[in-house]
Amino acid sequence: MTLQTTKRLFTLLTALLLPLSSSMLQAQEQVRVTFTGFVQAIAQYGSEGDYIKVGHLTAPYDHRTTKMGIRRGRLAAIASYGDLAARVDVNATDQKISIFNVYAEYKPHWAEGAYVKGGLMTPSFGYELPYSSSRRAAFERSHYMADLFPGDIDMGLEIGYKGALDHTNRWRLESTLSILSGNADKGMNKNLPDLALRLALTQRGSSHDISFGLSGYAGSVPTQGEYYAFDKGTATLQKDRMLRTYGGAFINTTLQHHGGALMLTAEGIMGLQPGWQNANLAVGPKAPATVENNILIQRPFVAGMAQLVERLKPVDLEFFGRYAYYDRNRQFDPKAEQELKLSRLTARTEGRSHQISTGVNYFLQQDHLRLSLQYDCFLRQQLEQQTLIAAKPLHMVTIGAQYKF
């Protein structure tokens, strides 16, 4: 290669690389990376260990239990470039470190409010499920949510709109349609995905906000053989796929007043819930499910909660109270004759349960630091001589601290 040819080639490469390097530098300048997160440390006392959220569950289960630990530490990294964004959330507890949200999102600038995102994320359903514990008055959701949505997250694709319906921003709409694997964070293990739909309409006034929402979830759970479906007190043997169908509605209103704000919330969910015979996450993990000698059951359920939260701004105090109800199997009749395989069904797995919660939160450092004290009372049915009776109440006290950054 001659010297003149080399010079020409170098000049050509310089002409090509300078605009490219300029574009890359410009792109790097436009990429924005932010970090956010929170840490929650709690100490819990329970008259039994069923609802303790930190530490390891150890026998004897029906004795008084006191545990302390990290309920949740979360670090979120969000990278955005133009209309595109990506998010990765890492969860840490006193037992493990795991990935929570991992998804990419597209928000077109020419359609304000619209978005598409895909990856591992919290399904959009109802009021409590999408609400982060860093913003909830109580650290935990209502006890039945652990049974209906174990794991909190799922792999899927979501299309939605969150924005104003008029130029005054008085009316706002949230609408989402999600296609989900239906198997939490373990990837898709069936041939058909689940679908979730959520609609919420908010009306904003000078001193109040009021929201109405409807949600639906339709899916199935594959079975390797047979399962039992309850109908009119008796379970019948079925084949093929178990149905997982939920329908829900909620109302939430916030009333601003001179001393702060009052928030009232109510939510109801009903449908068909598939699960193991001996596992009910709403009443604690005493009987973990095992594949061997276990039976899959499809249950018609109803659940609901009502909550009141009063925030006093002059002193940065928040008081709250909540009642939650869960009838896991509306068709369960303890006096009805069932097949021998279903002899292990009890009021613990099938009966009604109640949760009464009250507490106070104190905020410091412009709400970055929160100190919490909460009391919970759980009431569960038990079965005696083929009759459902109220069980002795289970009490729990939680002292917690949260720091957001």
Side-chain angles (χ1 to χ4, degrees):
M1 183 179 293
T2 63
L3 180 61
Q4 186 176 6
T5 305
T6 303
K7 289 182 178 180
R8 288 178 180 176
L9 182 58
F10 180 77
T11 303
L12 180 60
L13 287 173
T14 302
L16 289 173
L17 290 175
L18 278 177
L20 182 60
S21 61
S22 176
S23 300
M24 291 176 64
L25 289 173
Q26 184 178 6
Q28 289 177 354
E29 292 174 357
Q30 292 176 349
V31 173
R32 182 182 178 187
V33 179
T34 58
F35 295 91
T36 183
F38 60 88
V39 178
Q40 297 169 342
I42 63 174
Q44 291 184 305
Y45 162 82
S47 55
E48 295 183 19
D50 286 3
Y51 296 93
I52 299 295
K53 296 298 181 180
V54 291
H56 294 277
L57 186 68
T58 53
Y61 305 113
D62 56 354
H63 286 199
R64 295 175 183 175
T65 302
T66 301
K67 305 250 181 183
M68 61 184 68
I70 302 299
R71 179 194 176 273
R72 181 164 297 160
R74 180 172 298 169
L75 177 64
I78 304 106
S80 59
Y81 174 62
D83 296 345
L84 301 174
R87 179 177 182 129
V88 177
D89 288 9
V90 178
N91 264 3
T93 69
D94 53 5
Q95 301 179 39
K96 64 178 182 178
I97 297 177
S98 59
I99 297 295
F100 191 66
N101 288 317
V102 182
Y103 61 79
E105 187 173 29
Y106 172 57
K107 294 181 177 179
H109 63 274
W110 44 267
E112 186 176 355
Y115 69 91
V116 179
K117 67 178 181 179
L120 194 63
M121 55 193 167
T122 303
S124 293
F125 181 94
Y127 177 81
E128 278 196 290
L129 185 62
Y131 224 81
S132 170
S133 62
S134 64
R135 298 187 294 122
R136 289 196 299 266
F139 283 126
E140 306 298 335
R141 300 181 178 94
S142 299
H143 67 307
Y144 55 79
M145 295 301 292
D147 209 40
L148 302 181
F149 292 95
D152 296 345
I153 53 177
D154 205 348
M155 187 72 69
L157 176 69
E158 182 175 291
I159 303 172
Y161 173 82
K162 296 181 181 180
L165 294 178
D166 61 340
H167 67 280
T168 64
N169 204 27
R170 184 179 179 184
W171 292 93
R172 295 185 62 84
L173 175 68
E174 294 182 19
S175 61
T176 59
L177 175 63
S178 306
I179 303 172
L180 304 166
S181 71
N183 194 40
D185 59 346
K186 299 177 178 62
M188 192 165 177
N189 65 353
K190 56 183 186 174
N191 295 330
L192 293 174
D194 294 353
L195 297 176
L197 175 66
R198 182 179 186 272
L199 298 172
L201 182 64
T202 301
Q203 190 264 328
R204 291 181 169 178
S206 58
S207 60
H208 75 276
D209 291 351
I210 183 167
S211 301
F212 303 91
L214 296 173
S215 298
Y217 190 101
S220 62
V221 175
T223 62
Q224 296 180 352
E226 303 169 333
Y227 69 94
Y228 286 88
F230 268 87
D231 183 26
K232 297 181 180 179
T234 304
T236 57
L237 195 62
Q238 305 284 339
K239 295 185 178 182
D240 202 12
R241 295 185 298 268
M242 291 193 299
L243 294 179
R244 185 188 183 194
T245 57
Y246 308 157
F250 72 85
I251 180 172
N252 179 68
T253 181
T254 302
L255 305 173
Q256 304 290 338
H257 55 79
H258 180 70
L262 174 66
M263 185 170 67
L264 304 170
T265 307
E267 180 172 26
I269 306 173
M270 63 184 305
L272 297 174
Q273 186 261 350
W276 294 106
Q277 172 183 255
N278 66 351
N280 183 354
L281 296 178
V283 298
K286 274 188 183 177
T290 55
V291 177
E292 296 82 8
N293 302 320
N294 212 335
I295 300 170
L296 288 168
I297 298 175
Q298 178 181 287
R299 303 168 170 93
F301 75 92
V302 61
M305 75 90 172
Q307 179 177 268
L308 182 150
V309 180
E310 172 68 38
R311 176 70 185 267
L312 301 177
K313 284 300 294 181
V315 290
D316 282 326
L317 279 175
E318 182 180 73
F319 299 91
F320 66 90
R322 182 181 65 191
Y323 167 73
Y325 170 80
Y326 185 36
D327 187 349
R328 199 193 192 204
N329 191 342
R330 295 186 297 114
Q331 299 293 346
F332 178 63
D333 182 358
K335 296 183 180 180
E337 288 191 11
Q338 308 288 352
E339 289 197 21
L340 184 61
K341 288 183 177 181
L342 299 178
S343 60
R344 294 175 63 188
L345 292 181
T346 65
R348 178 179 178 80
T349 62
E350 310 303 312
R352 302 180 184 95
S353 54
H354 310 261
Q355 179 186 10
I356 302 170
S357 308
T358 185
V360 58
N361 297 314
Y362 180 47
F363 296 89
L364 298 162
Q365 300 181 7
Q366 299 180 336
D367 290 4
H368 287 286
L369 177 62
R370 181 179 82 174
L371 306 177
S372 303
L373 174 64
Q374 180 177 336
Y375 165 76
D376 293 277
C377 178
F378 300 91
L379 302 169
R380 304 177 306 210
Q381 287 183 316
Q382 64 184 19
L383 188 63
E384 287 188 6
Q385 297 179 352
Q386 292 188 308
T387 302
L388 290 172
I389 65 172
K392 66 177 182 179
L394 190 156
H395 307 280
M396 188 172 73
V397 176
T398 301
I399 300 174
Q402 171 185 282
Y403 186 79
K404 294 196 298 185
F405 53 90

